Amino acid sequence: MANIRSRFKKPADKSVVAYSASIPVDWRLYKYDIAGSIAHAGMLAKQGIISDQDGETITWGLVSIREEIEQGKLEIKPEMEDVHMAIESWLIEKVGEVGGKLHTARSRNDQVAMDLRLFIKEAISNGITGLRGLQRALIELADANKDTVMPGYTHLQSAQPVLMAHHFLAYFEMFQRDIARFNDCLKRTDVMPLGSGALAGVGYNVDRDFLARELGFSQISQNSLDAVSDRDFVLDYEAAAGVCMMHISRLAEEIVLWSSAEFDFIEIDEAYTTGSSIMPQKRNPDVAELARGKTGRVYGNLMALLTAMKALPLAYNRDMQEDKHGLFDTVDTLLSTLEVFTGMMKTLKIKVENTRKAVERGYILATDLADYLVKKGEAFRTAYDIIARLVSYAEEKGKSFEQLKMSELKGFSPLFGRDVHKITIASSLAARDTIGGTSPNQVARALAAAKKIAEQG
Ligand code: ARG
């Protein structure tokens, strides 16, 4: 095994070995670690820092270790400390002392920063793919519900009629911003730190641009102290994931509400519901509830890392090893949530009759009636008062607006005329024809725009 305790007289206490080992967690970085090492060995040989033959032996060793890991042939032990030490130890076991040349002009500090960056680049790409899938499911729902009316809410009180397509497209917009946030995070993640060494750079003629090209990075880091101690890209990812989960949790909450007997707007496909262990009538929206609940853990991971990084002096500190647990959990939570949520949305049934009934309940056209009086010359605030009193009156009489007689309406304002009957849910929707509004016109335009964006992949 690669020995990094040569200066000590005593072995580390068992409790210390267990306490400080990160291998059970960082194990999953092996792919990126090996890719980084292969590029590094190639660079060392190209620069004449090691011989071509040593470079080839090391590369061969690393490739075979990767195969053996994938075949489950290598056993990880806590004494190996971390994934970097484990791979180096296996390499030395396999190819002998020449394996010990791999760590020339490198430190675990720049190595782990590089591994994490490669890992996050892949996580971002998978996250964007997942978000696009969810957006497509929303587009399908919007497309199928271009004519479905539902109450729009403020304070969870029925407020004004909206098209259900408009409601789904609101989430499309949120996820579009999430994609933009992840792409932005990618710019700061796509920076190659190798060559920074432990903290001060390395005393060999390394070719950092070559490493960046080999490993698919578009930039190299500009300050070695910063490069080994920067975890902003992890925080960026976790923050973007937090906002994304917040968006998902809002949709989740609506799924929970809408599937309740009280709303009864939707039916969640059986494959995405669970039963109760005691109440046989129940179909629980567990996927939505879990997505809502897991959001808390994703926020927690961000807070944990922000707190671990707070006030750390330059450069690397072992505290930073704590970055991985939360990061991996966030990546796994976000990707699995996106996958299962997309499946649930794709199979959602909308109860069009019920959403319409909900619109017809209450006095959802009150704003339209006020607007009607405004268009006849009334000041908006006066019109508002008139309609407010009209609502109380109708409520007392137990009548809807449509059921009020012209004489009753005229009692509130002489401006009411026969044309008031032209105010309907359809007219209310059509009237809101501003860009971004819920008119069928605007929604069709927004849907076409969303489809175009989603096609881009
Ligand atoms: N396991 C360590 C981590 O994840 C790797 C870097 C270790 N560096 C060190 N100087 N002990 O942060």
Side-chain angles (χ1 to χ4, degrees):
M1 192 179 299
N3 184 12
I4 53 167
R5 293 187 63 83
S6 325
R7 64 160 282 206
F8 301 115
K9 294 188 190 74
K10 278 188 187 174
D13 192 83
K14 256 191 168 159
S15 64
V16 173
V17 173
Y19 191 69
S20 56
S22 60
I23 194 154
V25 176
D26 62 24
W27 175 236
R28 67 189 274 185
L29 293 175
Y30 80 87
K31 243 190 352 178
Y32 315 97
D33 201 73
I34 292 178
S37 290
I38 291 174
H40 184 68
M43 185 278 291
L44 292 176
K46 181 183 85 74
Q47 296 298 95
I49 300 168
I50 61 173
S51 70
D52 283 345
Q53 203 193 335
D54 287 351
E56 275 162 33
T57 308
I58 290 171
T59 303
W60 170 84
L62 289 166
V63 171
S64 15
I65 287 168
R66 184 165 55 202
E67 278 167 16
E68 286 171 31
I69 291 173
E70 273 152 20
Q71 292 159 1
K73 285 191 187 156
L74 295 173
E75 193 202 343
I76 54 168
K77 302 186 197 113
E79 338 42 294
M80 289 170 168
E81 198 177 318
D82 58 25
V83 63
H84 326 291
M85 294 309 300
I87 291 169
E88 191 183 332
S89 301
W90 288 323
L91 181 68
I92 294 170
E93 249 170 58
K94 190 173 272 298
V95 302
E97 209 185 338
V98 55
K101 295 190 180 183
L102 173 62
H103 215 52
T104 315
R106 185 174 81 166
S107 150
R108 278 186 294 164
N109 298 350
D110 55 359
Q111 195 180 351
V112 71
M114 204 285 304
D115 291 4
L116 269 186
R117 284 175 183 275
L118 279 183
F119 172 81
I120 292 188
K121 280 175 71 173
E122 200 174 305
I124 290 174
S125 152
N126 291 336
I128 291 176
T129 306
L131 277 162
R132 277 279 181 255
L134 183 51
Q135 280 186 319
R136 288 195 195 99
L138 289 164
I139 288 174
E140 274 172 40
L141 280 164
D143 215 0
N145 290 284
K146 285 193 290 257
D147 308 315
T148 307
V149 287
M150 63 174 274
Y153 297 88
T154 60
H155 315 267
L156 199 59
Q157 306 285 320
S158 173
Q160 292 176 351
V162 294
L163 287 176
M164 195 169 232
H166 196 49
H167 196 103
F168 285 128
L169 289 175
Y171 285 101
F172 177 91
E173 294 291 324
M174 291 178 229
F175 296 132
Q176 191 57 22
R177 290 195 295 277
D178 288 328
I179 290 174
R181 250 182 295 276
F182 280 121
N183 274 325
D184 197 47
C185 165
L186 179 62
K187 286 185 218 148
R188 285 182 293 276
T189 306
D190 195 15
V191 179
M192 206 289 303
L194 288 181
S196 302
L199 74 161
V202 293
Y204 298 87
N205 177 29
V206 293
D207 185 345
R208 301 191 62 209
D209 290 317
F210 171 84
L211 286 171
R213 274 196 306 278
E214 286 292 289
L215 293 166
F217 285 94
S218 66
Q219 287 178 64
I220 60 172
S221 57
Q222 296 299 313
N223 180 298
S224 60
L225 290 166
D226 178 47
V228 293
S229 63
D230 170 24
R231 291 295 180 272
D232 293 8
F233 60 102
V234 185
L235 291 167
D236 276 353
Y237 177 87
E238 292 188 5
V243 176
C244 181
M245 285 299 290
M246 178 271 288
H247 291 150
I248 295 174
S249 79
R250 297 182 74 175
L251 181 55
E253 171 69 5
E254 300 201 311
I255 299 296
V256 172
L257 287 172
W258 292 0
S259 64
S260 69
E262 288 70 14
F263 271 85
D264 203 20
F265 284 2
I266 55 170
E267 191 176 304
I268 303 171
D269 190 87
E270 276 184 7
Y272 290 90
T273 49
T274 50
S276 152
S277 63
I278 160 166
M279 298 163 283
Q281 85 282 13
K282 295 198 74 184
R283 283 163 65 109
N284 293 330
D286 292 39
V287 166
E289 292 169 276
L290 282 167
R292 201 172 55 181
K294 285 171 191 278
T295 304
R297 211 143 42 83
V298 170
Y299 292 178
N301 292 334
L302 170 63
M303 281 315 298
L305 183 58
L306 277 171
T307 312
M309 293 300 295
K310 176 181 175 292
L312 284 187
L314 296 185
Y316 177 84
N317 296 271
R318 194 66 181 270
D319 315 43
M320 289 162 64
Q321 178 168 292
E322 291 298 313
D323 56 3
K324 287 164 214 67
H325 201 283
L327 170 65
F328 295 164
D329 182 54
T330 289
V331 170
D332 293 343
T333 304
L334 179 67
L335 297 182
S336 60
T337 300
L338 285 169
E339 186 189 346
V340 68
F341 221 86
T342 302
M344 180 177 67
M345 295 308 285
K346 272 184 164 167
T347 49
L348 206 63
K349 300 225 166 33
I350 311 294
K351 298 185 173 176
V352 177
E353 287 310 309
N354 292 353
T355 61
R356 171 161 282 275
K357 270 188 228 145
V359 176
E360 285 162 358
R361 239 177 275 138
Y363 299 93
I364 204 165
L365 296 178
T367 321
D368 297 84
L369 282 183
D371 288 342
Y372 169 88
L373 293 179
V374 168
K375 282 177 188 154
K376 300 243 164 176
E378 201 66 88
F380 178 77
R381 198 45 71 203
T382 315
Y384 175 98
D385 288 338
I386 294 169
I387 303 302
R389 279 185 284 111
L390 186 65
V391 170
S392 308
Y393 172 84
E395 241 169 15
E396 270 165 37
K397 297 270 166 197
K399 290 184 177 182
S400 68
F401 283 145
E402 295 76 39
Q403 289 165 334
L404 292 172
K405 293 199 197 76
M406 190 45 68
S407 57
E408 290 177 292
L409 289 173
K410 291 255 192 221
F412 285 85
S413 168
L415 295 175
F416 277 117
R418 290 270 149 231
D419 56 348
V420 74
H421 296 302
K422 287 193 193 141
I423 300 176
T424 59
I425 290 163
S427 79
S428 166
L429 290 168
R432 292 185 167 72
D433 200 29
T434 44
I435 291 173
T438 196
S439 73
N441 216 6
Q442 292 299 333
V443 171
R445 184 196 57 80
L447 185 58
K451 281 183 183 169
K452 221 174 189 176
I453 290 170
E455 270 164 27
Q456 289 163 11

